[in-house]
Amino acid sequence: MSHRLLILLASFILTIPAFAAELVGVPKITVVSEKSAVVSWKTDVETGTRVSYGLAPDQLTERAEGGVTAAHEVTLTGLKPGARYFFAVGTARKKLATGEFVASASAATAASAPSSSPATSPPVAPRSKSVLAKIFAPQATPPTRETWGNMASLADHFARHGADFRAKDADEYARMAWQLGERSKQGGLLVKVDDDGTRRVFDPKSGAFAAYNSDGTTKTYFKPNSRDYFSRQPGRAIAVPKP
Amino acid sequence: MKHVCPACHWPHLKEAPRTKSGGGSYEICPSCGFQPGVTEDDDGRSPAAWRKDWVKRGMAWASVGQPAPAGWDPAKQLKQRAR
């Protein structure tokens, strides 16, 4: 085979359009031990396998990967016992769903050894397989044009604030902003609602702030430099109970 | 209804820079980049201070997503009084 033909073939392979994979069902999390968990999910076509995870929704800095398949399973190791983890499942290019779970020794032992104390009797991996999935919220994020208020301004907001969240492009930045708004409805974040319906949300843990129009679309999303920024913002504080 | 940027007097903002309660609109001015509710409330820079720096930088069009209107004249715009 001539070099020219090889180059032509390689070019063809590289330009084959990728099929848009869709999630089938809901991903599952199985806590194997207080330091490890297995995430599994299915897709309608074979795709790559990647779980991005971390201790904050905008800091999914850890990765675990698998092969090309339609039935994906990845083991997360080195977890901090008792810590809440946020994660996204999908491929290297596309996140199909996001969620969160707690690496909990007590939950992991609940099904296999309910009477044992996690503090004195750490779970043994082979018999501690129990589904934790304490909180899992697969989120089919709407298109950016539906979540961002003023589309003409998005590029400027991303250029100015995108680095706060290590967003790789404007769509990811807008998606992160939308996800913060969704999380704010589940409790645990600081929320204020202004007279004109503007909803302001602050996550003290990550330092992320977002403001949303009364229709739920995003006005802006960034990490304030000043610690008391949110407290100086107008609006009535809303207590959102945790589910 | 269009609104005027308190820093550079760009007359085509979509929202009032401040709401009645004092909250910022967070709308980034495409002309000078001033962001009500952030530039002042977080960065501590007043419209006048921002304007001064913008002029010093040569009054360049700020937006990376919206092109400057044909014939845009920042010096002329700056002379317009904010209503």
mmCIF file of all heavy atoms in Angstrom, chain A residues 1-23:
data_model
loop_
_atom_site.group_PDB
_atom_site.id
_atom_site.type_symbol
_atom_site.label_atom_id
_atom_site.label_comp_id
_atom_site.label_asym_id
_atom_site.label_seq_id
_atom_site.Cartn_x
_atom_site.Cartn_y
_atom_site.Cartn_z
ATOM 1 N N MET A 1 0.856 -1.193 0.000
ATOM 2 C CA MET A 1 0.000 0.000 0.000
ATOM 3 C C MET A 1 0.894 1.247 0.000
ATOM 4 O O MET A 1 1.828 1.359 0.756
ATOM 5 C CB MET A 1 -0.891 -0.014 1.228
ATOM 6 C CG MET A 1 -1.959 1.051 1.197
ATOM 7 S SD MET A 1 -2.973 1.015 2.675
ATOM 8 C CE MET A 1 -3.831 -0.517 2.459
ATOM 9 N N SER A 2 0.629 2.121 -0.920
ATOM 10 C CA SER A 2 1.494 3.281 -1.030
ATOM 11 C C SER A 2 1.259 4.238 0.137
ATOM 12 O O SER A 2 0.232 4.211 0.805
ATOM 13 C CB SER A 2 1.188 4.009 -2.335
ATOM 14 O OG SER A 2 -0.079 4.602 -2.255
ATOM 15 N N HIS A 3 2.263 5.111 0.370
ATOM 16 C CA HIS A 3 2.132 6.117 1.433
ATOM 17 C C HIS A 3 0.943 7.025 1.181
ATOM 18 O O HIS A 3 0.229 7.416 2.099
ATOM 19 C CB HIS A 3 3.423 6.936 1.510
ATOM 20 C CG HIS A 3 4.550 6.188 2.131
ATOM 21 N ND1 HIS A 3 4.622 5.946 3.482
ATOM 22 C CD2 HIS A 3 5.634 5.590 1.586
ATOM 23 C CE1 HIS A 3 5.719 5.252 3.750
ATOM 24 N NE2 HIS A 3 6.362 5.019 2.604
ATOM 25 N N ARG A 4 0.725 7.333 -0.100
ATOM 26 C CA ARG A 4 -0.377 8.239 -0.434
ATOM 27 C C ARG A 4 -1.733 7.633 -0.036
ATOM 28 O O ARG A 4 -2.606 8.290 0.501
ATOM 29 C CB ARG A 4 -0.347 8.560 -1.927
ATOM 30 C CG ARG A 4 -1.340 9.632 -2.338
ATOM 31 C CD ARG A 4 -1.184 10.038 -3.773
ATOM 32 N NE ARG A 4 0.120 10.607 -4.040
ATOM 33 C CZ ARG A 4 0.539 10.935 -5.260
ATOM 34 N NH1 ARG A 4 -0.208 10.725 -6.313
ATOM 35 N NH2 ARG A 4 1.737 11.457 -5.427
ATOM 36 N N LEU A 5 -1.861 6.342 -0.290
ATOM 37 C CA LEU A 5 -3.107 5.659 0.051
ATOM 38 C C LEU A 5 -3.296 5.593 1.571
ATOM 39 O O LEU A 5 -4.399 5.763 2.086
ATOM 40 C CB LEU A 5 -3.102 4.247 -0.536
ATOM 41 C CG LEU A 5 -4.403 3.458 -0.386
ATOM 42 C CD1 LEU A 5 -5.555 4.213 -1.053
ATOM 43 C CD2 LEU A 5 -4.262 2.078 -1.001
ATOM 44 N N LEU A 6 -2.181 5.359 2.297
ATOM 45 C CA LEU A 6 -2.254 5.316 3.755
ATOM 46 C C LEU A 6 -2.718 6.652 4.320
ATOM 47 O O LEU A 6 -3.552 6.722 5.224
ATOM 48 C CB LEU A 6 -0.880 4.960 4.347
ATOM 49 C CG LEU A 6 -0.548 3.469 4.403
ATOM 50 C CD1 LEU A 6 0.892 3.288 4.855
ATOM 51 C CD2 LEU A 6 -1.494 2.753 5.360
ATOM 52 N N ILE A 7 -2.151 7.721 3.779
ATOM 53 C CA ILE A 7 -2.517 9.064 4.241
ATOM 54 C C ILE A 7 -3.988 9.340 3.968
ATOM 55 O O ILE A 7 -4.714 9.862 4.794
ATOM 56 C CB ILE A 7 -1.624 10.127 3.566
ATOM 57 C CG1 ILE A 7 -0.193 9.992 4.090
ATOM 58 C CG2 ILE A 7 -2.162 11.539 3.830
ATOM 59 C CD1 ILE A 7 0.816 10.814 3.330
ATOM 60 N N LEU A 8 -4.439 8.903 2.760
ATOM 61 C CA LEU A 8 -5.828 9.107 2.393
ATOM 62 C C LEU A 8 -6.752 8.350 3.344
ATOM 63 O O LEU A 8 -7.759 8.867 3.818
ATOM 64 C CB LEU A 8 -6.047 8.625 0.956
ATOM 65 C CG LEU A 8 -7.413 8.917 0.346
ATOM 66 C CD1 LEU A 8 -7.610 10.419 0.210
ATOM 67 C CD2 LEU A 8 -7.545 8.254 -1.007
ATOM 68 N N LEU A 9 -6.354 7.100 3.672
ATOM 69 C CA LEU A 9 -7.155 6.265 4.561
ATOM 70 C C LEU A 9 -7.206 6.873 5.964
ATOM 71 O O LEU A 9 -8.258 6.954 6.595
ATOM 72 C CB LEU A 9 -6.560 4.853 4.618
ATOM 73 C CG LEU A 9 -7.351 3.820 5.419
ATOM 74 C CD1 LEU A 9 -8.736 3.658 4.814
ATOM 75 C CD2 LEU A 9 -6.623 2.486 5.422
ATOM 76 N N ALA A 10 -6.051 7.358 6.441
ATOM 77 C CA ALA A 10 -5.995 7.975 7.767
ATOM 78 C C ALA A 10 -6.866 9.212 7.813
ATOM 79 O O ALA A 10 -7.596 9.449 8.782
ATOM 80 C CB ALA A 10 -4.552 8.335 8.119
ATOM 81 N N SER A 11 -6.844 9.993 6.773
ATOM 82 C CA SER A 11 -7.662 11.204 6.719
ATOM 83 C C SER A 11 -9.140 10.857 6.779
ATOM 84 O O SER A 11 -9.927 11.503 7.460
ATOM 85 C CB SER A 11 -7.385 11.986 5.437
ATOM 86 O OG SER A 11 -6.034 12.318 5.373
ATOM 87 N N PHE A 12 -9.491 9.778 6.076
ATOM 88 C CA PHE A 12 -10.896 9.354 6.060
ATOM 89 C C PHE A 12 -11.344 8.923 7.448
ATOM 90 O O PHE A 12 -12.405 9.305 7.929
ATOM 91 C CB PHE A 12 -11.057 8.203 5.073
ATOM 92 C CG PHE A 12 -12.423 7.591 5.084
ATOM 93 C CD1 PHE A 12 -13.499 8.278 4.545
ATOM 94 C CD2 PHE A 12 -12.646 6.352 5.654
ATOM 95 C CE1 PHE A 12 -14.770 7.722 4.567
ATOM 96 C CE2 PHE A 12 -13.911 5.796 5.678
ATOM 97 C CZ PHE A 12 -14.967 6.487 5.124
ATOM 98 N N ILE A 13 -10.480 8.143 8.115
ATOM 99 C CA ILE A 13 -10.824 7.658 9.455
ATOM 100 C C ILE A 13 -11.002 8.818 10.416
ATOM 101 O O ILE A 13 -11.921 8.872 11.218
ATOM 102 C CB ILE A 13 -9.740 6.681 9.970
ATOM 103 C CG1 ILE A 13 -9.785 5.398 9.145
ATOM 104 C CG2 ILE A 13 -9.955 6.363 11.448
ATOM 105 C CD1 ILE A 13 -8.608 4.474 9.391
ATOM 106 N N LEU A 14 -10.116 9.787 10.319
ATOM 107 C CA LEU A 14 -10.170 10.916 11.250
ATOM 108 C C LEU A 14 -11.362 11.818 11.003
ATOM 109 O O LEU A 14 -11.744 12.583 11.878
ATOM 110 C CB LEU A 14 -8.872 11.731 11.148
ATOM 111 C CG LEU A 14 -7.628 11.025 11.688
ATOM 112 C CD1 LEU A 14 -6.389 11.834 11.356
ATOM 113 C CD2 LEU A 14 -7.738 10.830 13.188
ATOM 114 N N THR A 15 -11.942 11.758 9.829
ATOM 115 C CA THR A 15 -13.045 12.670 9.544
ATOM 116 C C THR A 15 -14.405 11.995 9.609
ATOM 117 O O THR A 15 -15.412 12.586 9.297
ATOM 118 C CB THR A 15 -12.886 13.306 8.151
ATOM 119 O OG1 THR A 15 -12.716 12.252 7.202
ATOM 120 C CG2 THR A 15 -11.701 14.240 8.105
ATOM 121 N N ILE A 16 -14.429 10.709 10.000
ATOM 122 C CA ILE A 16 -15.718 10.060 10.163
ATOM 123 C C ILE A 16 -16.485 10.771 11.273
ATOM 124 O O ILE A 16 -15.968 10.941 12.380
ATOM 125 C CB ILE A 16 -15.538 8.576 10.544
ATOM 126 C CG1 ILE A 16 -14.975 7.803 9.355
ATOM 127 C CG2 ILE A 16 -16.866 7.957 10.982
ATOM 128 C CD1 ILE A 16 -14.625 6.377 9.676
ATOM 129 N N PRO A 17 -17.683 11.230 11.008
ATOM 130 C CA PRO A 17 -18.404 11.944 12.054
ATOM 131 C C PRO A 17 -18.753 11.021 13.219
ATOM 132 O O PRO A 17 -19.140 9.876 13.016
ATOM 133 C CB PRO A 17 -19.686 12.413 11.345
ATOM 134 C CG PRO A 17 -19.833 11.514 10.174
ATOM 135 C CD PRO A 17 -18.457 11.116 9.769
ATOM 136 N N ALA A 18 -18.603 11.525 14.417
ATOM 137 C CA ALA A 18 -18.920 10.724 15.602
ATOM 138 C C ALA A 18 -20.430 10.691 15.801
ATOM 139 O O ALA A 18 -21.114 11.685 15.632
ATOM 140 C CB ALA A 18 -18.255 11.339 16.821
ATOM 141 N N PHE A 19 -20.953 9.505 16.080
ATOM 142 C CA PHE A 19 -22.368 9.398 16.376
ATOM 143 C C PHE A 19 -22.632 9.921 17.776
ATOM 144 O O PHE A 19 -21.863 9.690 18.692
ATOM 145 C CB PHE A 19 -22.811 7.945 16.250
ATOM 146 C CG PHE A 19 -22.754 7.433 14.842
ATOM 147 C CD1 PHE A 19 -21.706 6.643 14.422
ATOM 148 C CD2 PHE A 19 -23.741 7.779 13.939
ATOM 149 C CE1 PHE A 19 -21.646 6.192 13.118
ATOM 150 C CE2 PHE A 19 -23.690 7.317 12.630
ATOM 151 C CZ PHE A 19 -22.638 6.528 12.212
ATOM 152 N N ALA A 20 -23.712 10.623 17.926
ATOM 153 C CA ALA A 20 -24.042 11.189 19.235
ATOM 154 C C ALA A 20 -24.615 10.098 20.121
ATOM 155 O O ALA A 20 -25.714 9.612 19.866
ATOM 156 C CB ALA A 20 -25.036 12.329 19.066
ATOM 157 N N ALA A 21 -23.853 9.689 21.096
ATOM 158 C CA ALA A 21 -24.312 8.632 21.995
ATOM 159 C C ALA A 21 -25.342 9.182 22.966
ATOM 160 O O ALA A 21 -25.283 10.344 23.367
ATOM 161 C CB ALA A 21 -23.127 8.064 22.764
ATOM 162 N N GLU A 22 -26.279 8.329 23.319
ATOM 163 C CA GLU A 22 -27.286 8.705 24.305
ATOM 164 C C GLU A 22 -27.229 7.719 25.466
ATOM 165 O O GLU A 22 -26.953 6.538 25.289
ATOM 166 C CB GLU A 22 -28.686 8.684 23.673
ATOM 167 C CG GLU A 22 -28.893 9.683 22.547
ATOM 168 C CD GLU A 22 -28.853 11.128 23.010
ATOM 169 O OE1 GLU A 22 -29.083 11.365 24.214
ATOM 170 O OE2 GLU A 22 -28.580 11.998 22.182
ATOM 171 N N LEU A 23 -27.529 8.229 26.624
ATOM 172 C CA LEU A 23 -27.563 7.404 27.818
ATOM 173 C C LEU A 23 -28.790 6.490 27.783
ATOM 174 O O LEU A 23 -29.880 6.913 27.400
ATOM 175 C CB LEU A 23 -27.631 8.330 29.030
ATOM 176 C CG LEU A 23 -27.344 7.758 30.403
ATOM 177 C CD1 LEU A 23 -25.888 7.313 30.503
ATOM 178 C CD2 LEU A 23 -27.637 8.818 31.458
#
